[in-house]
Amino acid sequence: MSQQATNDAPRKANARPEHAAQARRGMGHGPMGGMGATEKAVTFGASAKRLLGMMRPERNLIIFVVVISALATLGNALGPVILARGTDLIFDGALGGGIDFSALGTVILEALAVYVVSGLVLWWASFLINDIVQRTVYRMREQVATKLHRLPITYFDRQPRGELLSRVTNDIDNIAQSLQQTLAQMLTNIFTVLGVLAIMLWLSPPLALVVLISVPLTALVTAQVMKRSQRRFVDMWRSTGELNGHVEEAFTGHSLVKVFGRQREVAAGFASKNEEMYESSFKAQFISGIIMPSVFFIGNLSYVAIAVLGGIWVAAGTMTLGAVQAFIQYARMFTQPITQLASMTNLLQSGVASAERVFEVLDATEQTVDATTHLPEPLQGRVEFEHVAFSYDPEKPLISDLSLVAEPGSTVAIVGPTGAGKTTLVNLLMRFYDVDAGRITIDGVDIAAVPRPELRSNIGMVLQDAWLFGGTIRDNIAYGRPEATEAEILAAAEATYVDRFVHSLPDGYDTVIDDEGSNVSAGEKQLITIARAFLADPAILILDEATSSVDTRTELLVQNAMNALRGGRTSFVIAHRLSTIRDADTILVMEDGAIVEQGSHDALLEHHGAYQRLYRSQFAGGLDDEEEAA
């Protein structure tokens, strides 16, 4: 059977009022109301280790970068020793018989060569690190995208869309920025500290000890500040996600906001979220910003001590002026990387906080693994619900002990008030959710044992809210069957009356649908989605209020096309307009998750029960008047 498009059924499924409201009720989610998703405390070390572990595929390149960075840093570290010789040449020459400019020129050329080569190598290392980071982030995006396809619908019920989008976009971008701005400097700074320390110990162990005293003080200050600022960075990115969610929700529903005059409330909600983001961002940056001035202060104390002690030893003749000059340079070279490392903690904390938010997505529980049982071929389309029970909330049962049989080629209409469980029924058939008890079979095969892609490839679904993606009308029709020929696409378009309006568009079937689908009407969008299901040629059809967006004349045309499509196929039709399901083989009347009546249109009217009450409510003139008009 051909692969078919389900019209973005998962997106629609998790928006149904029968469960979406229940799933979000505990989260404070309402119209333009933002989110209330909680954040667990970040474990900095474990998350940072995992983030670095994602670079493992690039380990050979990383080793090479480490080696050339170490060599380049060593070259930089030798610079002051070389220049110290020049200082001593000048000082000794001034006191003695003159300056040896030839030797001084050699020293300058040596220093210049060392700095130029080291600089070029460090630039190369930085370039390679950027490549490593971008490859790592590329894989992370791939992992997140793949993960999202493996998550159950219930996960998206619990995750506000704006918050999830923020994790997939903003947080991953922040990880890339943080790694790119810190890794190269961290490598250089670490090697600089180690190389300079070795040279200082060689030049003067006592002065080296003075410099080393600043290290534990710097580490203590940095650790204390990081401990207090890390939680603030988590709050900052959480509030960023909430603000994005609010903005996305407000812009998506901007027409509704204006219709009900809620602009002021939406603006107030934005101001509240913006204020929360400002507060969390300010606190995170302010606390982490304490590190830099603290480290500078500690470093300046060590400079004072070196200058005083060095001056005394030069006067005593135990140390040359060039050595003191070199040592002062080394002290700065030693403390500057430590200062830079400390200043990078805010970037590291921010990146790790974002990484943990992404890891939460990657660690989310996936839907159950599909079994390997296959549906019979050719598929007849006999669908049976056997004592099915299901609820979105364990404390609020929705469907209990529901049984029904849809024979091959029959049309089963499902009617009932909002929240009765109509859409839930077809969501279970599509395995967007798994039953709590009982089972659903197709041609005697339990669908729980059938791989989801195989199951859904045999079911065509058209939803109440038409979904089109950015692309041409031709592409949208062929979405569920990309291998379809041009003739097959045109045949589906003609059968669903898409062909009638396409020729009025400037580019015909090559007309590009924009992001919002605003260049075609709601009815035209619905016809395109119906043509998509036509082309897929499924064995089972699900029509969820498929004609609700079209006018009466178009509805009649679509109904005629649906009648032709349903020929020989098992069809489930969810309908509010009872006039559209008169010819159904079986009409199921659902209330509170149970089937309270079933039968044909005429039989149910004669029963004088729930169906008749629904029918009368739609025809205010009375049942007899409507039947006469019909």
Side-chain angles (χ1 to χ4, degrees), residues 322-383:
V324 173
Q325 173 197 313
F327 210 97
I328 292 175
Q329 287 181 275
Y330 281 125
R332 183 170 295 277
M333 289 178 67
F334 183 81
T335 57
Q336 186 177 21
I338 296 177
T339 303
Q340 290 177 349
L341 287 171
S343 69
M344 286 188 289
T345 55
N346 61 337
L347 281 174
L348 289 172
Q349 288 177 302
S350 177
V352 172
S354 290
E356 178 149 323
R357 284 166 51 82
V358 175
F359 293 152
E360 287 177 0
V361 177
L362 294 176
D363 294 339
T365 303
E366 298 180 7
Q367 63 187 10
T368 56
V369 178
D370 285 323
T372 56
T373 303
H374 298 288
L375 293 172
E377 293 183 6
L379 196 65
Q380 300 300 314
R382 186 180 190 273
V383 180

Short mmCIF file of all heavy atoms in Angstrom, two decimals, residues 322-383:
data_model
loop_
_atom_site.label_atom_id
_atom_site.label_comp_id
_atom_site.label_asym_id
_atom_site.label_seq_id
_atom_site.Cartn_x
_atom_site.Cartn_y
_atom_site.Cartn_z
N GLY A 322 67.48 42.22 33.64
CA GLY A 322 66.73 41.52 32.59
C GLY A 322 65.90 40.39 33.14
O GLY A 322 64.77 40.15 32.69
N ALA A 323 66.46 39.69 34.16
CA ALA A 323 65.70 38.59 34.77
C ALA A 323 64.47 39.12 35.49
O ALA A 323 63.39 38.52 35.44
CB ALA A 323 66.59 37.80 35.72
N VAL A 324 64.61 40.26 36.18
CA VAL A 324 63.46 40.84 36.86
C VAL A 324 62.42 41.29 35.86
O VAL A 324 61.20 41.09 36.02
CB VAL A 324 63.90 42.03 37.76
CG1 VAL A 324 62.68 42.75 38.33
CG2 VAL A 324 64.81 41.55 38.87
N GLN A 325 62.89 41.93 34.78
CA GLN A 325 61.96 42.35 33.74
C GLN A 325 61.22 41.15 33.16
O GLN A 325 59.99 41.18 32.98
CB GLN A 325 62.71 43.07 32.63
CG GLN A 325 61.83 43.41 31.42
CD GLN A 325 62.63 43.74 30.19
OE1 GLN A 325 63.57 44.53 30.28
NE2 GLN A 325 62.28 43.15 29.06
N ALA A 326 61.97 40.08 32.85
CA ALA A 326 61.35 38.87 32.31
C ALA A 326 60.36 38.29 33.31
O ALA A 326 59.26 37.85 32.93
CB ALA A 326 62.41 37.83 31.96
N PHE A 327 60.73 38.35 34.60
CA PHE A 327 59.84 37.76 35.60
C PHE A 327 58.54 38.55 35.71
O PHE A 327 57.46 37.97 35.89
CB PHE A 327 60.55 37.70 36.96
CG PHE A 327 60.07 36.55 37.80
CD1 PHE A 327 60.76 35.36 37.83
CD2 PHE A 327 58.89 36.66 38.53
CE1 PHE A 327 60.31 34.29 38.58
CE2 PHE A 327 58.44 35.60 39.29
CZ PHE A 327 59.14 34.41 39.31
N ILE A 328 58.64 39.88 35.63
CA ILE A 328 57.42 40.68 35.68
C ILE A 328 56.53 40.35 34.48
O ILE A 328 55.30 40.23 34.60
CB ILE A 328 57.77 42.19 35.71
CG1 ILE A 328 58.43 42.55 37.04
CG2 ILE A 328 56.51 43.02 35.47
CD1 ILE A 328 58.90 43.98 37.11
N GLN A 329 57.17 40.16 33.31
CA GLN A 329 56.39 39.76 32.14
C GLN A 329 55.75 38.39 32.34
O GLN A 329 54.58 38.17 32.00
CB GLN A 329 57.29 39.73 30.90
CG GLN A 329 57.68 41.10 30.37
CD GLN A 329 58.53 40.98 29.12
OE1 GLN A 329 59.75 40.82 29.20
NE2 GLN A 329 57.88 41.04 27.97
N TYR A 330 56.53 37.47 32.93
CA TYR A 330 55.99 36.14 33.16
C TYR A 330 54.87 36.15 34.20
O TYR A 330 53.90 35.38 34.11
CB TYR A 330 57.10 35.18 33.60
CG TYR A 330 57.94 34.69 32.44
CD1 TYR A 330 59.32 34.84 32.44
CD2 TYR A 330 57.34 34.06 31.35
CE1 TYR A 330 60.10 34.40 31.37
CE2 TYR A 330 58.11 33.62 30.28
CZ TYR A 330 59.48 33.79 30.30
OH TYR A 330 60.22 33.35 29.24
N ALA A 331 55.02 37.01 35.18
CA ALA A 331 53.96 37.11 36.19
C ALA A 331 52.65 37.56 35.54
O ALA A 331 51.56 37.06 35.84
CB ALA A 331 54.37 38.09 37.29
N ARG A 332 52.78 38.53 34.62
CA ARG A 332 51.59 38.98 33.90
C ARG A 332 51.07 37.87 32.97
O ARG A 332 49.87 37.65 32.86
CB ARG A 332 51.89 40.25 33.12
CG ARG A 332 50.68 40.84 32.40
CD ARG A 332 51.00 42.21 31.85
NE ARG A 332 51.27 43.17 32.90
CZ ARG A 332 50.32 43.83 33.57
NH1 ARG A 332 49.05 43.62 33.29
NH2 ARG A 332 50.65 44.69 34.50
N MET A 333 52.03 37.18 32.30
CA MET A 333 51.63 36.08 31.44
C MET A 333 50.98 34.94 32.24
O MET A 333 50.14 34.20 31.73
CB MET A 333 52.83 35.54 30.67
CG MET A 333 53.36 36.47 29.58
SD MET A 333 54.83 35.78 28.75
CE MET A 333 54.10 34.36 27.92
N PHE A 334 51.37 34.82 33.49
CA PHE A 334 50.82 33.75 34.34
C PHE A 334 49.43 34.12 34.86
O PHE A 334 48.52 33.30 34.87
CB PHE A 334 51.78 33.48 35.50
CG PHE A 334 51.33 32.35 36.39
CD1 PHE A 334 51.56 31.04 36.03
CD2 PHE A 334 50.68 32.62 37.58
CE1 PHE A 334 51.15 29.99 36.85
CE2 PHE A 334 50.27 31.59 38.41
CZ PHE A 334 50.50 30.27 38.04
N THR A 335 49.30 35.36 35.31
CA THR A 335 48.02 35.76 35.91
C THR A 335 46.96 36.10 34.87
O THR A 335 45.77 35.94 35.11
CB THR A 335 48.23 36.98 36.84
OG1 THR A 335 48.82 38.05 36.09
CG2 THR A 335 49.10 36.62 38.02
N GLN A 336 47.41 36.61 33.70
CA GLN A 336 46.43 36.98 32.67
C GLN A 336 45.60 35.78 32.20
O GLN A 336 44.39 35.88 32.10
CB GLN A 336 47.14 37.65 31.50
CG GLN A 336 46.18 38.19 30.46
CD GLN A 336 46.92 38.93 29.33
OE1 GLN A 336 48.11 38.71 29.12
NE2 GLN A 336 46.21 39.77 28.61
N PRO A 337 46.23 34.61 31.90
CA PRO A 337 45.41 33.47 31.53
C PRO A 337 44.44 33.03 32.63
O PRO A 337 43.31 32.62 32.35
CB PRO A 337 46.44 32.37 31.25
CG PRO A 337 47.69 33.08 30.92
CD PRO A 337 47.66 34.31 31.75
N ILE A 338 44.92 33.11 33.88
CA ILE A 338 44.03 32.76 34.99
C ILE A 338 42.85 33.72 35.03
O ILE A 338 41.69 33.33 35.25
CB ILE A 338 44.80 32.76 36.33
CG1 ILE A 338 45.88 31.67 36.31
CG2 ILE A 338 43.85 32.58 37.50
CD1 ILE A 338 46.75 31.63 37.55
N THR A 339 43.14 35.01 34.82
CA THR A 339 42.07 36.00 34.78
C THR A 339 41.10 35.72 33.64
O THR A 339 39.87 35.80 33.80
CB THR A 339 42.66 37.41 34.62
OG1 THR A 339 43.57 37.66 35.69
CG2 THR A 339 41.56 38.46 34.63
N GLN A 340 41.66 35.38 32.48
CA GLN A 340 40.80 35.08 31.33
C GLN A 340 39.96 33.83 31.57
O GLN A 340 38.78 33.77 31.22
CB GLN A 340 41.65 34.92 30.07
CG GLN A 340 42.26 36.22 29.59
CD GLN A 340 43.17 36.01 28.38
OE1 GLN A 340 43.50 34.88 28.02
NE2 GLN A 340 43.57 37.11 27.74
N LEU A 341 40.60 32.81 32.17
CA LEU A 341 39.84 31.60 32.50
C LEU A 341 38.70 31.92 33.46
O LEU A 341 37.59 31.40 33.32
CB LEU A 341 40.77 30.55 33.11
CG LEU A 341 41.75 29.86 32.16
CD1 LEU A 341 42.74 29.01 32.94
CD2 LEU A 341 40.99 28.99 31.16
N ALA A 342 38.99 32.78 34.42
CA ALA A 342 37.94 33.17 35.36
C ALA A 342 36.84 33.95 34.67
O ALA A 342 35.65 33.77 34.94
CB ALA A 342 38.55 34.01 36.49
N SER A 343 37.24 34.82 33.72
CA SER A 343 36.24 35.64 33.04
C SER A 343 35.36 34.80 32.11
O SER A 343 34.26 35.22 31.74
CB SER A 343 36.93 36.75 32.24
OG SER A 343 37.65 36.20 31.15
N MET A 344 35.87 33.63 31.71
CA MET A 344 35.10 32.77 30.82
C MET A 344 34.09 31.90 31.55
O MET A 344 33.31 31.18 30.93
CB MET A 344 36.03 31.87 30.00
CG MET A 344 36.78 32.61 28.89
SD MET A 344 37.68 31.47 27.81
CE MET A 344 38.98 30.93 28.89
N THR A 345 34.10 31.96 32.87
CA THR A 345 33.19 31.10 33.62
C THR A 345 31.73 31.41 33.33
O THR A 345 30.89 30.51 33.32
CB THR A 345 33.45 31.22 35.13
OG1 THR A 345 33.36 32.61 35.51
CG2 THR A 345 34.81 30.69 35.50
N ASN A 346 31.41 32.70 33.09
CA ASN A 346 30.02 33.02 32.78
C ASN A 346 29.60 32.40 31.46
O ASN A 346 28.48 31.89 31.33
CB ASN A 346 29.79 34.53 32.78
CG ASN A 346 30.61 35.26 31.74
OD1 ASN A 346 31.66 34.74 31.31
ND2 ASN A 346 30.20 36.44 31.35
N LEU A 347 30.53 32.41 30.47
CA LEU A 347 30.21 31.76 29.20
C LEU A 347 30.08 30.26 29.38
O LEU A 347 29.16 29.62 28.83
CB LEU A 347 31.31 32.06 28.18
CG LEU A 347 31.28 33.43 27.49
CD1 LEU A 347 32.52 33.60 26.63
CD2 LEU A 347 30.03 33.56 26.63
N LEU A 348 31.00 29.67 30.16
CA LEU A 348 30.94 28.23 30.39
C LEU A 348 29.67 27.84 31.13
O LEU A 348 29.00 26.86 30.79
CB LEU A 348 32.17 27.78 31.19
CG LEU A 348 33.50 27.79 30.46
CD1 LEU A 348 34.64 27.51 31.42
CD2 LEU A 348 33.50 26.76 29.34
N GLN A 349 29.32 28.61 32.15
CA GLN A 349 28.11 28.31 32.91
C GLN A 349 26.87 28.42 32.04
O GLN A 349 25.97 27.59 32.10
CB GLN A 349 28.01 29.26 34.11
CG GLN A 349 29.02 28.97 35.19
CD GLN A 349 28.93 29.98 36.32
OE1 GLN A 349 29.08 31.18 36.10
NE2 GLN A 349 28.67 29.51 37.51
N SER A 350 26.84 29.48 31.23
CA SER A 350 25.70 29.67 30.34
C SER A 350 25.60 28.52 29.35
O SER A 350 24.52 27.98 29.10
CB SER A 350 25.84 31.01 29.61
OG SER A 350 24.78 31.18 28.69
N GLY A 351 26.76 28.12 28.77
CA GLY A 351 26.75 27.03 27.80
C GLY A 351 26.36 25.71 28.41
O GLY A 351 25.59 24.94 27.83
N VAL A 352 26.86 25.43 29.61
CA VAL A 352 26.53 24.17 30.28
C VAL A 352 25.06 24.16 30.70
O VAL A 352 24.39 23.12 30.63
CB VAL A 352 27.46 23.94 31.49
CG1 VAL A 352 26.99 22.75 32.31
CG2 VAL A 352 28.88 23.71 31.01
N ALA A 353 24.54 25.32 31.14
CA ALA A 353 23.12 25.39 31.47
C ALA A 353 22.26 25.08 30.25
O ALA A 353 21.27 24.34 30.33
CB ALA A 353 22.78 26.77 32.02
N SER A 354 22.64 25.62 29.10
CA SER A 354 21.92 25.31 27.86
C SER A 354 22.09 23.84 27.49
O SER A 354 21.15 23.20 27.01
CB SER A 354 22.43 26.20 26.71
OG SER A 354 22.04 27.54 26.89
N ALA A 355 23.30 23.31 27.69
CA ALA A 355 23.54 21.91 27.36
C ALA A 355 22.65 20.99 28.18
O ALA A 355 22.09 20.02 27.66
CB ALA A 355 25.01 21.56 27.59
N GLU A 356 22.48 21.30 29.44
CA GLU A 356 21.63 20.44 30.26
C GLU A 356 20.17 20.49 29.79
O GLU A 356 19.47 19.48 29.80
CB GLU A 356 21.72 20.81 31.73
CG GLU A 356 20.80 19.96 32.59
CD GLU A 356 21.33 19.73 33.98
OE1 GLU A 356 22.55 19.58 34.14
OE2 GLU A 356 20.51 19.72 34.90
N ARG A 357 19.73 21.65 29.36
CA ARG A 357 18.36 21.75 28.85
C ARG A 357 18.20 20.90 27.58
O ARG A 357 17.17 20.27 27.36
CB ARG A 357 18.02 23.21 28.56
CG ARG A 357 17.74 24.03 29.81
CD ARG A 357 17.75 25.52 29.54
NE ARG A 357 16.91 25.91 28.43
CZ ARG A 357 15.58 26.10 28.51
NH1 ARG A 357 14.96 25.91 29.66
NH2 ARG A 357 14.90 26.47 27.45
N VAL A 358 19.25 20.88 26.75
CA VAL A 358 19.20 20.04 25.55
C VAL A 358 19.28 18.56 25.93
O VAL A 358 18.59 17.72 25.37
CB VAL A 358 20.33 20.41 24.59
CG1 VAL A 358 20.37 19.46 23.39
CG2 VAL A 358 20.18 21.85 24.10
N PHE A 359 20.11 18.25 26.93
CA PHE A 359 20.24 16.86 27.37
C PHE A 359 18.92 16.34 27.94
O PHE A 359 18.63 15.14 27.84
CB PHE A 359 21.34 16.73 28.43
CG PHE A 359 22.72 16.99 27.88
CD1 PHE A 359 23.74 17.47 28.70
CD2 PHE A 359 23.02 16.75 26.55
CE1 PHE A 359 25.01 17.70 28.21
CE2 PHE A 359 24.29 16.99 26.03
CZ PHE A 359 25.28 17.46 26.86
N GLU A 360 18.13 17.22 28.54
CA GLU A 360 16.83 16.79 29.05
C GLU A 360 15.94 16.30 27.91
O GLU A 360 15.17 15.35 28.07
CB GLU A 360 16.15 17.94 29.80
CG GLU A 360 16.77 18.24 31.16
CD GLU A 360 16.13 19.42 31.84
OE1 GLU A 360 15.21 20.01 31.25
OE2 GLU A 360 16.55 19.76 32.95
N VAL A 361 16.05 16.96 26.76
CA VAL A 361 15.30 16.48 25.59
C VAL A 361 15.85 15.15 25.12
O VAL A 361 15.10 14.19 24.85
CB VAL A 361 15.34 17.53 24.45
CG1 VAL A 361 14.63 16.99 23.21
CG2 VAL A 361 14.70 18.83 24.90
N LEU A 362 17.17 15.06 25.02
CA LEU A 362 17.79 13.83 24.54
C LEU A 362 17.55 12.65 25.48
O LEU A 362 17.54 11.49 25.04
CB LEU A 362 19.30 14.03 24.35
CG LEU A 362 19.72 15.02 23.26
CD1 LEU A 362 21.23 15.21 23.26
CD2 LEU A 362 19.26 14.54 21.89
N ASP A 363 17.36 12.93 26.77
CA ASP A 363 17.16 11.87 27.76
C ASP A 363 15.69 11.55 27.99
O ASP A 363 15.38 10.66 28.80
CB ASP A 363 17.80 12.26 29.09
CG ASP A 363 19.32 12.36 28.99
OD1 ASP A 363 19.88 11.76 28.06
OD2 ASP A 363 19.93 13.04 29.84
N ALA A 364 14.79 12.26 27.33
CA ALA A 364 13.36 12.01 27.54
C ALA A 364 13.00 10.59 27.11
O ALA A 364 13.59 10.02 26.19
CB ALA A 364 12.53 13.03 26.74
N THR A 365 12.04 10.01 27.80
CA THR A 365 11.61 8.64 27.53
C THR A 365 10.97 8.56 26.15
O THR A 365 10.05 9.31 25.84
CB THR A 365 10.61 8.16 28.59
OG1 THR A 365 11.23 8.27 29.88
CG2 THR A 365 10.22 6.70 28.33
N GLU A 366 11.48 7.65 25.34
CA GLU A 366 10.95 7.51 23.98
C GLU A 366 9.73 6.61 23.98
O GLU A 366 9.45 5.88 24.94
CB GLU A 366 12.03 6.93 23.06
CG GLU A 366 13.25 7.81 22.94
CD GLU A 366 14.31 7.22 22.02
OE1 GLU A 366 14.02 6.18 21.37
OE2 GLU A 366 15.41 7.78 21.94
N GLN A 367 8.97 6.68 22.88
CA GLN A 367 7.83 5.79 22.76
C GLN A 367 8.31 4.35 22.64
O GLN A 367 9.45 4.07 22.28
CB GLN A 367 6.99 6.17 21.54
CG GLN A 367 7.69 6.03 20.21
CD GLN A 367 6.88 6.57 19.06
OE1 GLN A 367 5.86 7.22 19.26
NE2 GLN A 367 7.31 6.31 17.84
N THR A 368 7.43 3.44 22.99
CA THR A 368 7.79 2.03 23.00
C THR A 368 8.29 1.58 21.64
O THR A 368 7.83 2.06 20.60
CB THR A 368 6.58 1.18 23.41
OG1 THR A 368 5.49 1.46 22.52
CG2 THR A 368 6.16 1.50 24.83
N VAL A 369 9.24 0.66 21.67
CA VAL A 369 9.83 0.15 20.43
C VAL A 369 8.81 -0.69 19.69
O VAL A 369 8.11 -1.52 20.28
CB VAL A 369 11.09 -0.68 20.73
CG1 VAL A 369 11.67 -1.25 19.45
CG2 VAL A 369 12.12 0.17 21.46
N ASP A 370 8.70 -0.44 18.39
CA ASP A 370 7.74 -1.20 17.59
C ASP A 370 8.16 -2.65 17.46
O ASP A 370 9.34 -2.97 17.39
CB ASP A 370 7.61 -0.59 16.19
CG ASP A 370 6.81 0.70 16.22
OD1 ASP A 370 5.85 0.75 17.00
OD2 ASP A 370 7.17 1.63 15.49
N ALA A 371 7.14 -3.54 17.41
CA ALA A 371 7.40 -4.95 17.16
C ALA A 371 7.55 -5.17 15.66
O ALA A 371 7.58 -4.22 14.88
CB ALA A 371 6.26 -5.80 17.73
N THR A 372 7.63 -6.41 15.27
CA THR A 372 7.91 -6.72 13.86
C THR A 372 6.78 -7.46 13.17
O THR A 372 6.95 -7.96 12.06
CB THR A 372 9.19 -7.57 13.77
OG1 THR A 372 9.03 -8.76 14.57
CG2 THR A 372 10.39 -6.78 14.29
N THR A 373 5.60 -7.53 13.82
CA THR A 373 4.46 -8.17 13.17
C THR A 373 3.97 -7.29 12.03
O THR A 373 3.92 -6.07 12.15
CB THR A 373 3.32 -8.40 14.19
OG1 THR A 373 3.82 -9.18 15.27
CG2 THR A 373 2.14 -9.11 13.54
N HIS A 374 3.59 -7.92 10.93
CA HIS A 374 3.16 -7.17 9.75
C HIS A 374 1.68 -7.38 9.49
O HIS A 374 1.11 -8.43 9.82
CB HIS A 374 3.96 -7.59 8.52
CG HIS A 374 5.43 -7.32 8.65
ND1 HIS A 374 5.95 -6.05 8.61
CD2 HIS A 374 6.48 -8.16 8.84
CE1 HIS A 374 7.26 -6.11 8.77
NE2 HIS A 374 7.61 -7.39 8.91
N LEU A 375 1.06 -6.38 8.92
CA LEU A 375 -0.34 -6.49 8.50
C LEU A 375 -0.42 -7.38 7.26
O LEU A 375 0.52 -7.42 6.45
CB LEU A 375 -0.90 -5.10 8.19
CG LEU A 375 -1.05 -4.14 9.39
CD1 LEU A 375 -1.44 -2.75 8.90
CD2 LEU A 375 -2.09 -4.67 10.38
N PRO A 376 -1.53 -8.10 7.11
CA PRO A 376 -1.66 -8.96 5.93
C PRO A 376 -1.78 -8.15 4.65
O PRO A 376 -2.20 -7.00 4.66
CB PRO A 376 -2.96 -9.73 6.22
CG PRO A 376 -3.72 -8.87 7.17
CD PRO A 376 -2.70 -8.17 8.00
N GLU A 377 -1.38 -8.76 3.55
CA GLU A 377 -1.51 -8.12 2.24
C GLU A 377 -2.29 -9.06 1.31
O GLU A 377 -2.01 -10.26 1.26
CB GLU A 377 -0.13 -7.85 1.63
CG GLU A 377 0.66 -6.79 2.39
CD GLU A 377 1.99 -6.49 1.71
OE1 GLU A 377 2.23 -7.02 0.61
OE2 GLU A 377 2.78 -5.72 2.27
N PRO A 378 -3.25 -8.55 0.58
CA PRO A 378 -3.75 -7.16 0.65
C PRO A 378 -4.58 -6.95 1.90
O PRO A 378 -5.20 -7.88 2.42
CB PRO A 378 -4.60 -7.06 -0.62
CG PRO A 378 -5.08 -8.44 -0.85
CD PRO A 378 -3.97 -9.36 -0.42
N LEU A 379 -4.62 -5.73 2.37
CA LEU A 379 -5.34 -5.39 3.59
C LEU A 379 -6.83 -5.24 3.28
O LEU A 379 -7.21 -4.48 2.39
CB LEU A 379 -4.78 -4.10 4.18
CG LEU A 379 -5.14 -3.80 5.63
CD1 LEU A 379 -4.52 -4.84 6.55
CD2 LEU A 379 -4.63 -2.42 6.02
N GLN A 380 -7.64 -5.95 4.05
CA GLN A 380 -9.10 -5.87 3.85
C GLN A 380 -9.69 -4.63 4.53
O GLN A 380 -10.61 -4.02 4.02
CB GLN A 380 -9.77 -7.14 4.37
CG GLN A 380 -9.30 -8.42 3.69
CD GLN A 380 -9.58 -8.39 2.19
OE1 GLN A 380 -10.68 -8.02 1.77
NE2 GLN A 380 -8.58 -8.76 1.40
N GLY A 381 -9.17 -4.32 5.73
CA GLY A 381 -9.65 -3.12 6.43
C GLY A 381 -10.69 -3.38 7.49
O GLY A 381 -11.46 -2.47 7.83
N ARG A 382 -10.73 -4.58 8.06
CA ARG A 382 -11.66 -4.85 9.17
C ARG A 382 -11.04 -4.35 10.46
O ARG A 382 -9.98 -4.81 10.89
CB ARG A 382 -11.97 -6.33 9.28
CG ARG A 382 -13.05 -6.66 10.31
CD ARG A 382 -13.31 -8.16 10.38
NE ARG A 382 -14.48 -8.45 11.19
CZ ARG A 382 -14.46 -8.61 12.51
NH1 ARG A 382 -13.31 -8.49 13.17
NH2 ARG A 382 -15.57 -8.87 13.18
N VAL A 383 -11.69 -3.41 11.10
CA VAL A 383 -11.18 -2.78 12.32
C VAL A 383 -12.08 -3.16 13.48
O VAL A 383 -13.30 -3.05 13.40
CB VAL A 383 -11.11 -1.25 12.18
CG1 VAL A 383 -10.58 -0.62 13.46
CG2 VAL A 383 -10.24 -0.85 11.00
#
